[in-house]
PDB file of all heavy atoms in Angstrom:
ATOM      1  N   PRO A 107      -5.427 -17.923  -8.787  1.00 65.00           N
ATOM      2  CA  PRO A 107      -5.617 -19.370  -8.947  1.00 65.00           C
ATOM      3  C   PRO A 107      -5.467 -20.114  -7.615  1.00 65.00           C
ATOM      4  O   PRO A 107      -4.726 -19.693  -6.739  1.00 65.00           O
ATOM      5  CB  PRO A 107      -4.503 -19.770  -9.918  1.00 65.00           C
ATOM      6  CG  PRO A 107      -4.194 -18.516 -10.663  1.00 65.00           C
ATOM      7  CD  PRO A 107      -4.407 -17.396  -9.692  1.00 65.00           C
ATOM      8  N   GLU A 108      -6.176 -21.210  -7.484  1.00 67.00           N
ATOM      9  CA  GLU A 108      -6.208 -21.976  -6.235  1.00 67.00           C
ATOM     10  C   GLU A 108      -5.057 -22.978  -6.096  1.00 67.00           C
ATOM     11  O   GLU A 108      -4.887 -23.553  -5.028  1.00 67.00           O
ATOM     12  CB  GLU A 108      -7.537 -22.758  -6.155  1.00 67.00           C
ATOM     13  CG  GLU A 108      -8.760 -21.871  -6.060  1.00 67.00           C
ATOM     14  CD  GLU A 108      -8.921 -21.266  -4.669  1.00 67.00           C
ATOM     15  OE1 GLU A 108      -8.525 -21.913  -3.697  1.00 67.00           O
ATOM     16  OE2 GLU A 108      -9.440 -20.147  -4.578  1.00 67.00           O
ATOM     17  N   GLN A 109      -4.259 -23.212  -7.137  1.00 73.00           N
ATOM     18  CA  GLN A 109      -3.227 -24.236  -7.074  1.00 73.00           C
ATOM     19  C   GLN A 109      -2.258 -23.978  -5.915  1.00 73.00           C
ATOM     20  O   GLN A 109      -1.825 -22.844  -5.693  1.00 73.00           O
ATOM     21  CB  GLN A 109      -2.412 -24.313  -8.374  1.00 73.00           C
ATOM     22  CG  GLN A 109      -3.208 -24.745  -9.571  1.00 73.00           C
ATOM     23  CD  GLN A 109      -3.757 -23.556 -10.349  1.00 73.00           C
ATOM     24  OE1 GLN A 109      -3.690 -22.422  -9.907  1.00 73.00           O
ATOM     25  NE2 GLN A 109      -4.339 -23.840 -11.495  1.00 73.00           N
ATOM     26  N   ALA A 110      -1.899 -25.050  -5.204  1.00 80.00           N
ATOM     27  CA  ALA A 110      -1.020 -24.945  -4.033  1.00 80.00           C
ATOM     28  C   ALA A 110       0.336 -24.352  -4.406  1.00 80.00           C
ATOM     29  O   ALA A 110       0.883 -23.536  -3.667  1.00 80.00           O
ATOM     30  CB  ALA A 110      -0.847 -26.321  -3.390  1.00 80.00           C
ATOM     31  N   VAL A 111       0.895 -24.734  -5.551  1.00 82.00           N
ATOM     32  CA  VAL A 111       2.216 -24.241  -5.938  1.00 82.00           C
ATOM     33  C   VAL A 111       2.161 -22.725  -6.181  1.00 82.00           C
ATOM     34  O   VAL A 111       3.094 -22.000  -5.847  1.00 82.00           O
ATOM     35  CB  VAL A 111       2.781 -25.010  -7.158  1.00 82.00           C
ATOM     36  CG1 VAL A 111       2.017 -24.687  -8.429  1.00 82.00           C
ATOM     37  CG2 VAL A 111       4.246 -24.730  -7.330  1.00 82.00           C
ATOM     38  N   PHE A 112       1.067 -22.261  -6.739  1.00 78.00           N
ATOM     39  CA  PHE A 112       0.891 -20.834  -6.990  1.00 78.00           C
ATOM     40  C   PHE A 112       0.820 -20.071  -5.663  1.00 78.00           C
ATOM     41  O   PHE A 112       1.481 -19.063  -5.472  1.00 78.00           O
ATOM     42  CB  PHE A 112      -0.388 -20.617  -7.806  1.00 78.00           C
ATOM     43  CG  PHE A 112      -0.585 -19.199  -8.250  1.00 78.00           C
ATOM     44  CD1 PHE A 112       0.032 -18.724  -9.393  1.00 78.00           C
ATOM     45  CD2 PHE A 112      -1.386 -18.334  -7.524  1.00 78.00           C
ATOM     46  CE1 PHE A 112      -0.151 -17.415  -9.814  1.00 78.00           C
ATOM     47  CE2 PHE A 112      -1.570 -17.023  -7.930  1.00 78.00           C
ATOM     48  CZ  PHE A 112      -0.951 -16.567  -9.083  1.00 78.00           C
ATOM     49  N   ARG A 113       0.026 -20.593  -4.735  1.00 80.00           N
ATOM     50  CA  ARG A 113      -0.091 -19.962  -3.413  1.00 80.00           C
ATOM     51  C   ARG A 113       1.235 -19.980  -2.673  1.00 80.00           C
ATOM     52  O   ARG A 113       1.620 -18.996  -2.054  1.00 80.00           O
ATOM     53  CB  ARG A 113      -1.165 -20.660  -2.583  1.00 80.00           C
ATOM     54  CG  ARG A 113      -2.552 -20.288  -3.014  1.00 80.00           C
ATOM     55  CD  ARG A 113      -3.578 -20.813  -2.056  1.00 80.00           C
ATOM     56  NE  ARG A 113      -4.876 -20.297  -2.422  1.00 80.00           N
ATOM     57  CZ  ARG A 113      -5.866 -20.144  -1.577  1.00 80.00           C
ATOM     58  NH1 ARG A 113      -5.722 -20.489  -0.320  1.00 80.00           N
ATOM     59  NH2 ARG A 113      -7.018 -19.669  -1.982  1.00 80.00           N
ATOM     60  N   GLN A 114       1.919 -21.103  -2.731  1.00 85.00           N
ATOM     61  CA  GLN A 114       3.209 -21.217  -2.040  1.00 85.00           C
ATOM     62  C   GLN A 114       4.207 -20.192  -2.592  1.00 85.00           C
ATOM     63  O   GLN A 114       4.921 -19.543  -1.829  1.00 85.00           O
ATOM     64  CB  GLN A 114       3.761 -22.635  -2.198  1.00 85.00           C
ATOM     65  CG  GLN A 114       5.054 -22.866  -1.466  1.00 85.00           C
ATOM     66  CD  GLN A 114       5.556 -24.292  -1.661  1.00 85.00           C
ATOM     67  OE1 GLN A 114       5.063 -25.050  -2.494  1.00 85.00           O
ATOM     68  NE2 GLN A 114       6.543 -24.657  -0.884  1.00 85.00           N
ATOM     69  N   TYR A 115       4.250 -20.046  -3.893  1.00 83.00           N
ATOM     70  CA  TYR A 115       5.151 -19.081  -4.509  1.00 83.00           C
ATOM     71  C   TYR A 115       4.857 -17.672  -4.003  1.00 83.00           C
ATOM     72  O   TYR A 115       5.753 -16.926  -3.618  1.00 83.00           O
ATOM     73  CB  TYR A 115       5.027 -19.127  -6.039  1.00 83.00           C
ATOM     74  CG  TYR A 115       5.717 -17.971  -6.725  1.00 83.00           C
ATOM     75  CD1 TYR A 115       7.105 -17.971  -6.907  1.00 83.00           C
ATOM     76  CD2 TYR A 115       4.995 -16.860  -7.155  1.00 83.00           C
ATOM     77  CE1 TYR A 115       7.744 -16.898  -7.505  1.00 83.00           C
ATOM     78  CE2 TYR A 115       5.630 -15.787  -7.755  1.00 83.00           C
ATOM     79  CZ  TYR A 115       7.001 -15.815  -7.931  1.00 83.00           C
ATOM     80  OH  TYR A 115       7.632 -14.747  -8.511  1.00 83.00           O
ATOM     81  N   HIS A 116       3.582 -17.270  -4.023  1.00 80.00           N
ATOM     82  CA  HIS A 116       3.217 -15.922  -3.608  1.00 80.00           C
ATOM     83  C   HIS A 116       3.401 -15.703  -2.111  1.00 80.00           C
ATOM     84  O   HIS A 116       3.794 -14.627  -1.680  1.00 80.00           O
ATOM     85  CB  HIS A 116       1.800 -15.583  -4.054  1.00 80.00           C
ATOM     86  CG  HIS A 116       1.752 -15.229  -5.494  1.00 80.00           C
ATOM     87  ND1 HIS A 116       1.511 -16.160  -6.467  1.00 80.00           N
ATOM     88  CD2 HIS A 116       1.975 -14.070  -6.137  1.00 80.00           C
ATOM     89  CE1 HIS A 116       1.562 -15.581  -7.649  1.00 80.00           C
ATOM     90  NE2 HIS A 116       1.852 -14.316  -7.476  1.00 80.00           N
ATOM     91  N   GLU A 117       3.146 -16.726  -1.323  1.00 83.00           N
ATOM     92  CA  GLU A 117       3.383 -16.589   0.116  1.00 83.00           C
ATOM     93  C   GLU A 117       4.867 -16.360   0.394  1.00 83.00           C
ATOM     94  O   GLU A 117       5.230 -15.522   1.213  1.00 83.00           O
ATOM     95  CB  GLU A 117       2.863 -17.810   0.864  1.00 83.00           C
ATOM     96  CG  GLU A 117       1.351 -17.810   0.955  1.00 83.00           C
ATOM     97  CD  GLU A 117       0.777 -19.083   1.548  1.00 83.00           C
ATOM     98  OE1 GLU A 117       1.539 -20.011   1.914  1.00 83.00           O
ATOM     99  OE2 GLU A 117      -0.468 -19.152   1.644  1.00 83.00           O
ATOM    100  N   GLN A 118       5.732 -17.086  -0.307  1.00 85.00           N
ATOM    101  CA  GLN A 118       7.172 -16.896  -0.130  1.00 85.00           C
ATOM    102  C   GLN A 118       7.620 -15.535  -0.655  1.00 85.00           C
ATOM    103  O   GLN A 118       8.388 -14.828  -0.002  1.00 85.00           O
ATOM    104  CB  GLN A 118       7.960 -18.010  -0.832  1.00 85.00           C
ATOM    105  CG  GLN A 118       9.459 -17.899  -0.642  1.00 85.00           C
ATOM    106  CD  GLN A 118       9.863 -18.010   0.821  1.00 85.00           C
ATOM    107  OE1 GLN A 118       9.427 -18.907   1.509  1.00 85.00           O
ATOM    108  NE2 GLN A 118      10.673 -17.086   1.287  1.00 85.00           N
ATOM    109  N   TYR A 119       7.106 -15.163  -1.806  1.00 81.00           N
ATOM    110  CA  TYR A 119       7.450 -13.868  -2.407  1.00 81.00           C
ATOM    111  C   TYR A 119       7.094 -12.730  -1.456  1.00 81.00           C
ATOM    112  O   TYR A 119       7.886 -11.815  -1.223  1.00 81.00           O
ATOM    113  CB  TYR A 119       6.708 -13.716  -3.740  1.00 81.00           C
ATOM    114  CG  TYR A 119       6.863 -12.369  -4.393  1.00 81.00           C
ATOM    115  CD1 TYR A 119       7.999 -12.073  -5.135  1.00 81.00           C
ATOM    116  CD2 TYR A 119       5.879 -11.398  -4.258  1.00 81.00           C
ATOM    117  CE1 TYR A 119       8.156 -10.836  -5.732  1.00 81.00           C
ATOM    118  CE2 TYR A 119       6.030 -10.159  -4.849  1.00 81.00           C
ATOM    119  CZ  TYR A 119       7.171  -9.884  -5.588  1.00 81.00           C
ATOM    120  OH  TYR A 119       7.315  -8.661  -6.166  1.00 81.00           O
ATOM    121  N   LEU A 120       5.901 -12.774  -0.893  1.00 80.00           N
ATOM    122  CA  LEU A 120       5.455 -11.711   0.005  1.00 80.00           C
ATOM    123  C   LEU A 120       6.121 -11.816   1.378  1.00 80.00           C
ATOM    124  O   LEU A 120       6.388 -10.803   2.020  1.00 80.00           O
ATOM    125  CB  LEU A 120       3.937 -11.724   0.116  1.00 80.00           C
ATOM    126  CG  LEU A 120       3.226 -11.333  -1.193  1.00 80.00           C
ATOM    127  CD1 LEU A 120       1.742 -11.660  -1.118  1.00 80.00           C
ATOM    128  CD2 LEU A 120       3.438  -9.876  -1.522  1.00 80.00           C
ATOM    129  N   ALA A 121       6.423 -13.017   1.826  1.00 81.00           N
ATOM    130  CA  ALA A 121       7.130 -13.189   3.105  1.00 81.00           C
ATOM    131  C   ALA A 121       8.503 -12.531   3.037  1.00 81.00           C
ATOM    132  O   ALA A 121       8.981 -11.954   4.020  1.00 81.00           O
ATOM    133  CB  ALA A 121       7.255 -14.662   3.456  1.00 81.00           C
TER     134      ALA A 121
END
Side-chain angles (χ1 to χ4, degrees):
E108 295 285 329
Q109 295 93 351
V111 70
F112 186 84
R113 284 189 173 206
Q114 183 180 11
Y115 168 79
H116 282 92
E117 285 173 0
Q118 182 62 49
Y119 174 81
L120 293 167

